[in-house]
Amino acid sequence: MVATIKGVNYIKGKWHCNQCETTKQRHFYKYYTDVFKKTIVYCRKCIALGRMDNHNDIMITATEHCKSDANYKLSFHLTPQQQYASQRIVDALLCHQSLLLYAVTGSGKTEMIFEAIHRARKDGLNVAVVSPRIDVVVELSLRIQTAFESEMIDVLYKGQRQLYNGHFVIATIHQLMRFKRHFDFVIIDEVDAFPLSMDNDLISVVRAASTTQCCTVYMTATPSNRFINQFPKDQIIKLPARFHQHILPIPTFKYYKIYPYKKQLYFLKLLKRQLALKRYTLVFFHQIDIMETMYHIYKQYIAGLTYVHSQDALRLEKISELRKGKYNVIFTTTILERGFTMSHLDVIVIDSHKFKASALIQIAGRVGRKSDSPKGLVLYLHQGISVSMLKAKSEIKQMNTLARLRGWVND
Ligand SMILES: [Zn+2]
């Protein structure tokens, strides 16, 4: 059952946005268009999530509840940390609480939510697993659909059609606008992938799609302090260990000034050593122009060198070839800072003093994720150690200390 409404409605003399539910009139912008011969009103508050206006329709799914078995299969046993987290999420679901899952990169978060999803669906609760990022939604949907193979799961992102009644949904945050007071259990992965300023919008969109009794689980490796402060201490769970039970690689700092327009011996030797060691190397840059300039200098010396950035038309092809091992060294911007996983991978950051701590932690988090190569190089090249660099390193060390203290790692 689907109803159609406008993205923005005029109710009792006030404009109302159906995505973020704001009724503050200053959030609405009006302009006249000759094309439709009418005044268009749109919501500026949640514009970054996709425009809501009084012209285009959005679909709203009618809310019903129905039970399903929601049996799932796992091809391995959960680690002690995953079992602990899984139980904490089930507890939160039963007492309608919210949780912040502060889990290191590569902790195996997805499997931790299966038991709670199973319980929720058995009780007829509506479940949503969401992320701001399409690539995360695609990856989550593959893994969740494999585990819950007899469930009718709606996977919703750009252009995907809704097949079922929204009892079990995997979607981008933007797609939640199809549901009002609908979900009883919501899990948000990579919650910090949005800019900081959007924390509140994100929460209001999720709130509009959720019932008042909803249990919401927020998952991230790099929560902002502002986000952490929204949770009582007992509703924050730190998960410091990776699923393969090896500690996180610790970054090394090295003072090194880059001259983008000339060949620098140290950098060339560094890359050649990486090739000799048969390692794949991601080199992160803060600026696209510097990256491109250096690519043209070093490509003649380094076999299998390429570069990729968010405006690159061949971006998806390059990333897919990269996963197949076609390239040895990849110059990249922060588009590969999350979600990218590959064996035998090292990272080097150029001008690391210009990066935020969360980006540096995510970048370091690319290394050692596979159990066949849990170690690797994380090298931050800088021109003066920044507070962000220190913060990133100390957070990684703290997580390792905590993981050892709890006996959740083997080294
Ligand atoms: Zn809005």
Side-chain angles (χ1 to χ4, degrees), residues 7-8 16-22 27-28 42-47 50 52 205:
V8 166
H16 171 262
C17 171
N18 280 311
Q19 181 162 250
C20 67
E21 306 236 307
T22 183
H27 289 143
F28 296 93
Y42 71 89
C43 175
R44 277 192 298 193
K45 181 164 183 276
C46 62
I47 187 86
M52 290 290 114
V205 169

Side-chain angles (χ1 to χ4, degrees), residues 1 15 29 56 74-75 149 207 233 244 247 311 368 403:
M1 283 284 287
W15 291 104
Y29 186 80
N56 290 298
L74 263 182
S75 51
E149 59 180 1
R207 202 168 282 155
K233 272 214 166 66
H244 56 44
I247 56 163
Q311 272 99 53

